[in-house]
Every structure is written in C-alpha cells, then in structure tokens.
Amino acid sequence: MDVIAAIATGSAAAAIGIVRVSGDGCHALCGRVFRAGNGGSFAGQTPRKLVLGEMLDRSGQVIDQGLAAVFPAGGSYTGEESAEFYCHGSPVVLQELLQALFAAGARQAKPGEFTKRAFLNGRMDLTAAEAVADLIDAETAEAARNAAAQVGGALARSVEQVYGALMDIASRFYAVVDYPDEDIEPLQHAEIARTLAESAARLRAILATAERGRVLKRGVAAAIVGRPNVGKSSLLNALAGYDRSIVTDVAGTTRDTVEEKVLCGGVLLRLIDTAGIRETADAVEKIGVERSRAALAGAELVLAVLDSSAPLTAEDEEILLAAARHEKWILVWSKCDLPTAPAPVLSFDAPHHAPAAIVEVSAHSGAGLDDLERAVAALYPAGTVPAGVILTNSRQSGAVARALDAVTAARQALESGMTPDVVLTDAEEAMEALGELTGRTVREDLVETIFSRFCVGK
C-alpha cells in the first residue's frame, strides 16, 4: 500500500503535536524529513524507541526539534511500516512537516484510514475497529471502559464462541457427507439441539445489551418540564455546575429550549430546559411553549418539576399527566429549602405511569441532588454485563439479531423433524451474520462506510 500521513492531534495549538505515517517504504521516506541526533538513518533506529532529532521542511530547513519513533511491519498499529513524529504543537509546524512528507512521496490519509489498514491487515476485527472511534468519542468513564475492552477483543471473543460452536456442527456434517467411507461419528439430534439452544441463549444475552450501549454512546434525551418559575432553569444550572440558563424571579424568562449535556448518576443526560408550559398571549413565549411540548413528546426521560412552596395548580396537573404518558419520568419537588405547601395526594391511572421516583431538591443549596442522581442511575442500571460485550451501534445489534433469528429458525427446523441439511442452512445464515459483525464476511462498501466516520489521523 502507498504511504499515508496525517496529523493525529487537534487543529488547535498545544504543547505536543503528533504526525502519523504508514505504508510500505515509510521509513525511507521519513528519513528525508527527519535528521536523527545520533547520526543514524531513520530506518536503522531501534523500533518503538524515541529518538531525538530535527524535523525538516520541503526545502530541507529545520522547522522543529522533537522526537520520532519507528514501528516495523507486523509490529505497528496498522501492521505496516509506520512512524510517528512528536513535535511542538504549533499548527504551522505540524502543517510544514506534513507538507514535507507529501513532497517526499506520502499522501494525505483519508478519515479512519490508519484503523482501516489495521483491520485489513488482521491487526483487529471490525468490532475492535469501531470501538476505536467509540473510545475517542466516549463521554463517560463507563463508555470508555466498554470501548477499551472492545478494542481488546472482548465482543469478538464472545461472538466467536457462538461462531465456533456453529462451525463445529457444520464442519462435522459436511465431513460425514463428503467422506461417507471414513469412520466419522455423525451428529446426534440431542447434540445439535443443545448447541443451538446454547447459541441462542448467548445471542439473546448479547442482544439485550443494545439498549445499554445506546445510552452509553448517545446518552439520554431528558426534558425538564414544568410551569413558569418553578425552578427548571435553576435545576439545569445545578446539574451542569454553572449558570447555563438565565434565572430570574420573572415568570417566562426561558422562552426557548436550552440544551446541555450533564453526567447524572453516571448516566449521560442530554438535558433540555424548556420554556414554562402555560397558556399565553405573548407570540414569542407561545412559540417557546410549543417547542417545550415537542421536547416533552420526544424525550426518553422526563423530569417534571413542581414548586413545593406553592399549591398545585391546574397547569401543574396538566404537566404531570403529560409526563405520566412516559414510562420513565421523575417527579421533582423543587425549592425544598423554602416553607412547603401541603403536599397533594397524586394518583396515576392507566394509561398513565406512576413516577419512577419522587425527589425533593433545592437548586440553591444542592440538597436532594444526590437523590436525583440515584433515581436516574436506577432507571439506567449498568447491570452485570462485562465491559466490552455491550453492543454500541445499530450495525452490531442488527447482525446479532439476524444471527439469533437464523439460530431460532434452525431450532424450529430441528424440532419439526427437518433433515440436517435444512437445519445447517439456517445455522450457516447465522454464521454469515456473525461474520459480518466481526468482519469475516463484511462487504467492501460497508467497510468504506464504517471508516469514513472516523477522524483523519486515526
């Protein structure tokens, strides 16, 4: 493959900047833009050991002094001859070094091309490659741990157990058919049934992680709703840790939705602070109220806020009923640091849902915020699934679902007395789907689509 190069660090000025290079002939090419301080050739440097030297621009002028590392073919991230330069993080210096590499014969790497080459060269399977992007984009510690374990092959190993069991059935079946004169023990009905049942159970367990994976990767769309001046914006600011929304004593201050990502109970919430829901003649506020209703309708989690220091109003009751249409919602009594009004008796009849939790908070003092975090964590529990075995995108969950459907069909065919070749056809469909998951049988156009979502330099 030709030599590719890219800046692997961000575009803003930083203390350190990194330029990555990979491809056959990479070491000889890099020797034209780097002069090692020890006098040795670039290709002759000790693999994976930093060497101090000078970086040269296209005209051979020194543009920086820094470090470089040589990675041999078969022992690099991509599996090819590779190198990395560590210089001062000036965007100008990085661009000059990159242009010098282009002048020496390299070309600009495409998005995700380094990781794509690692996949094509067998350094990682497709689930590990996708996890590299997940690790870069991780916004919670749990998401990072899951991605890191997937890079290490945790998901692939779990899937390979099922693939291997199905392969054992298929290979023994074909051995008996192709070599009838050999003394090969034929597959028994009970053995096939047990293998298919165990495979289906494993696939169901893996597929059940998809919802948790979606929460890890995208977070939860959570709407804070309530009538004007009940403390919605104060709650958002308290959870965010800074004044994200304007807070005043004037009802109707928030006239549009305000969004902020916060970590609450270990769960990433995409919080939406909405305009107070009420009837209004103000044209601008009316638009804000309509957007609030839309945010409420589309929310995955609702935080319905009531003012504990004031009597319940008709507007409060309307908001509660709207929130109770959601399976996951929390009733938040705000301003618990103020004298409280008598608490009403609330009941929710079908098709409405009772709140998952009722918490009392004070955005001013911070009281009750821990209770709210525990309530959110209880709604989205981490569970007992080991890190790395959580599906994090629709491609993965779709492949596992197809494999489970095929294994289920194989079990039904076996139980209904179908011949072994019919059962094996379904088992092979399951293997095909699992092969697509790990990259054994993935289409070239799908590979292009997956890696095009990566950043340049990775």
Side-chain angles (χ1 to χ4, degrees):
M1 292 185 178
D2 50 357
V3 178
I4 57 174
I7 298 170
T9 43
S11 58
I16 302 294
I18 301 174
V19 175
R20 309 181 78 183
V21 193
S22 183
D24 297 335
C26 157
H27 296 162
L29 184 150
C30 290
R32 284 139 64 182
V33 302
F34 183 81
R35 190 158 54 216
N38 59 20
S41 67
F42 191 89
Q45 300 300 321
T46 304
R48 292 178 289 277
K49 183 177 181 180
L50 295 175
V51 57
L52 180 66
E54 295 172 330
M55 284 97 172
L56 312 177
D57 65 12
R58 285 165 289 182
S59 63
Q61 299 290 315
V62 176
I63 54 173
D64 197 9
Q65 185 181 68
L67 300 168
V70 173
F71 301 93
S76 69
Y77 179 75
T78 61
E80 307 166 335
E81 281 189 19
S82 299
E84 290 184 357
F85 296 96
Y86 311 90
C87 53
H88 294 95
S90 160
V92 172
V93 170
L94 291 168
Q95 281 295 334
E96 284 295 305
L97 177 56
L98 190 62
Q99 293 301 320
L101 288 165
F102 294 161
R107 67 164 173 82
Q108 173 67 56
K110 299 175 183 177
E113 190 167 6
F114 290 96
T115 305
K116 178 183 176 182
R117 289 189 176 196
F119 164 67
L120 294 176
N121 291 326
R123 299 290 289 176
M124 59 176 65
D125 74 285
L126 201 52
T127 62
E130 289 178 308
V132 171
D134 289 346
L135 190 56
I136 293 170
D137 295 335
E139 297 184 84
T140 67
E142 187 184 357
R145 284 191 290 268
N146 185 70
Q150 280 196 7
V151 170
L155 179 57
R157 286 192 294 274
S158 183
V159 170
E160 284 297 325
Q161 289 179 341
V162 178
Y163 188 96
L166 297 176
M167 175 61 79
D168 183 58
I169 290 177
S171 61
R172 288 177 60 187
F173 171 77
Y174 286 120
V176 171
V177 172
D178 294 340
Y179 303 99
D181 297 331
E182 298 292 331
D183 187 19
I184 301 174
E185 184 180 352
L187 285 167
Q188 301 299 316
H189 182 283
E191 184 179 0
I192 298 175
R194 183 175 61 254
T195 298
L196 292 176
E198 291 173 351
S199 297
R202 286 182 180 275
L203 291 173
R204 271 194 295 271
I206 295 172
L207 190 59
T209 69
E211 174 61 19
R212 184 62 187 175
R214 186 194 61 76
V215 171
L216 283 183
K217 191 167 183 177
R218 292 180 48 242
V220 177
I224 305 176
V225 298
R227 61 181 170 82
N229 213 27
V230 294
K232 300 184 301 299
S233 295
S234 296
L235 179 60
L236 172 67
N237 291 344
L239 291 172
Y242 74 106
D243 291 340
R244 177 65 177 86
S245 291
I246 298 173
V247 176
T248 73
D249 293 332
V250 179
T253 300
T254 302
R255 295 193 167 204
D256 199 355
T257 54
V258 178
E259 299 188 22
E260 182 69 18
K261 291 181 180 179
V262 303
L263 195 60
C264 183
V267 180
L268 181 67
L269 298 184
R270 292 184 283 114
L271 278 179
I272 308 169
D273 178 22
T274 64
I277 297 176
R278 66 174 178 178
E279 295 300 324
T280 177
D282 185 297
V284 176
E285 187 179 0
K286 185 177 293 186
I287 295 173
V289 170
E290 289 306 311
R291 290 184 178 180
S292 296
R293 295 185 189 279
L296 172 59
E300 298 166 289
L301 171 65
V302 176
L303 305 181
V305 183
L306 301 180
D307 185 347
S308 65
S309 67
L312 201 68
T313 68
E315 290 171 340
D316 289 327
E317 293 178 354
E318 178 190 347
I319 290 164
L320 285 175
L321 289 175
R325 294 190 183 98
H326 293 257
E327 185 177 349
K328 294 181 178 180
W329 72 287
I330 297 172
L331 174 54
V332 181
W333 287 102
S334 68
K335 306 181 184 181
C336 70
D337 53 321
L338 300 178
T340 59
V345 177
L346 301 174
S347 62
F348 301 91
D349 300 322
H352 298 96
H353 301 276
I358 301 176
V359 297
E360 298 180 2
V361 304
S362 167
H364 176 70
S365 68
L369 292 179
D370 288 347
D371 294 333
L372 179 57
E373 292 207 15
R374 282 190 286 271
V376 171
L379 280 173
Y380 300 95
T384 58
V385 180
V389 192
I390 299 176
L391 304 177
T392 56
N393 62 55
S394 58
R395 187 195 77 83
Q396 294 176 353
S397 57
V400 175
R402 291 196 305 276
L404 178 57
D405 288 344
V407 170
T408 301
R411 295 182 69 190
Q412 292 171 346
L414 183 67
E415 291 170 1
S416 62
M418 293 287 186
T419 56
D421 58 312
V422 175
V423 177
L424 264 295
T425 297
D426 291 321
E428 288 174 337
E429 284 186 18
M431 292 169 61
E432 180 75 16
L434 296 177
E436 182 179 311
L437 175 64
T438 60
R440 283 176 180 266
T441 58
V442 70
R443 303 188 315 272
E444 184 177 348
D445 60 335
L446 182 57
V447 171
E448 291 294 331
T449 299
I450 290 170
F451 289 103
S452 68
R453 299 173 183 148
F454 282 53
C455 57
V456 174
K458 197 57 185 170

